[in-house]
Amino acid sequence: EAGVAQSPRYKIIEKRQSVAFWCNPISGHATLYWYQQILGQGPKLLIQFQNNGVVDDSQLPKDRFSAERLKGVDSTLKIQPAKLEDSAVYLCASSSSGYNEQFFGPGTRLTVL
Amino acid sequence: GESVGLHLPTLSVQEGDNSIINCAYSNSASDYFIWYKQESGKGPQFIIDIRSNMDKRQGQRVTVLLNKTVKHLSLQIAATQPGDSAVYFCAENAPPGRRALTFGSGTRLQVQP
């Protein structure tokens, strides 16, 4: 089966610019997650969707980050405006409902200059 | 690709030796644990999981041990190979309803040929 797809793989922007990341989960997976992984650390959850509804966005910096999953399949994560400390790898993962394994995409490496 | 973590604890072993990677988890309510392997430039890859009603689970060349009394998880890799070189993360999941994972800080495994 095809894995989780993410694009772009790399993005370099200047601070205060906007950026958007796209994720296509594994077909049939109802749950989608966005994680932020800063260099040298483990991934940290930003937002979790169940179908097209938000389950947990408690760690999402809502003043600058937004995410949507309008049709319950693909998702986009946006940062506007970006700060230097947003430089990280943004990982998308998906799973079927319940206590199931999460499958991760390759991530988007963001560099904010 | 860029390293996943430049300042992580590092375990260096000889090819063919057994490796043991340790993890202390934080939430006594966590009831599901996963070990992930992350190679440079890639997303985390599932290795093995264990539920809190077990204290040991074996896979192919890997064994996970869970000690709930001291909130400790370990990953044992038998006959370590150069392809096992990566950063290893433990992750925990606590009920109720929360399906996103809380990741540890990771350990870098270096296998010397």
Side-chain angles (χ1 to χ4, degrees):
Chain A
E1 79 187 344
V4 176
Q6 290 188 247
S7 68
R9 291 296 314 277
Y10 305 92
K11 189 73 176 179
I12 300 174
I13 61 173
E14 295 186 349
K15 60 183 179 182
R16 293 187 289 272
Q17 286 188 322
S18 302
V19 65
F21 313 127
W22 174 82
C23 172
N24 181 237
I26 292 173
S27 178
H29 279 191
T31 310
L32 185 147
Y33 314 80
W34 283 102
Y35 290 87
Q36 179 192 58
Q37 186 174 26
I38 293 173
L39 190 64
Q41 300 180 16
K44 183 189 79 171
L45 178 72
L46 291 174
I47 189 167
Q48 175 185 347
F49 291 95
Q50 181 74 19
N51 296 309
N52 61 349
V54 175
V55 174
D56 184 352
D57 64 355
S58 58
Q59 299 185 79
L60 186 74
K62 298 180 186 65
D63 58 334
R64 298 184 300 107
F65 286 64
S66 64
E68 59 183 15
R69 193 185 185 199
L70 293 176
K71 297 184 179 179
V73 181
D74 293 5
S75 177
T76 56
L77 175 70
K78 297 179 182 178
I79 308 175
Q80 179 180 11
K83 293 185 176 181
L84 296 177
E85 58 261 37
D86 298 332
S87 294
V89 174
Y90 291 85
L91 294 162
C92 180
S94 71
S95 69
S96 53
S97 296
Y99 282 110
N100 289 314
E101 176 186 347
Q102 294 183 23
F103 295 85
F104 284 81
T108 296
R109 180 173 299 281
L110 174 67
T111 302
V112 182
L113 303 176
Chain B
E2 187 173 336
S3 297
V4 170
L6 299 179
H7 305 292
L8 295 170
T10 299
L11 174 65
S12 187
V13 301
Q14 292 292 320
E15 181 178 359
D17 287 352
N18 297 332
S19 302
I20 299 177
I21 300 171
N22 296 304
C23 174
Y25 64 91
S26 57
N27 190 341
S28 58
S30 293
D31 62 356
Y32 179 54
F33 306 88
I34 307 177
W35 279 100
Y36 280 92
K37 172 186 180 182
Q38 189 172 26
E39 296 174 284
S40 186
K42 297 183 179 180
Q45 176 188 4
F46 174 92
I47 302 174
I48 191 167
D49 60 0
I50 189 168
R51 303 200 186 281
S52 59
N53 61 349
M54 303 172 69
D55 54 19
K56 180 179 180 179
R57 189 164 188 225
Q58 289 184 292
Q60 186 177 11
R61 283 202 306 121
V62 294
T63 300
V64 56
L65 300 177
L66 174 62
N67 185 329
K68 294 182 289 293
T69 302
V70 294
K71 294 190 290 185
H72 184 268
L73 200 63
S74 69
L75 176 70
Q76 300 178 2
I77 304 174
T80 313
Q81 302 168 0
D84 295 327
S85 294
V87 177
Y88 289 80
F89 293 98
C90 66
E92 60 187 293
N93 185 312
R98 180 177 175 89
R99 295 294 178 262
L101 299 170
T102 300
F103 282 79
S105 56
T107 298
R108 178 181 300 282
L109 177 65
Q110 292 181 338
V111 182
Q112 310 296 329

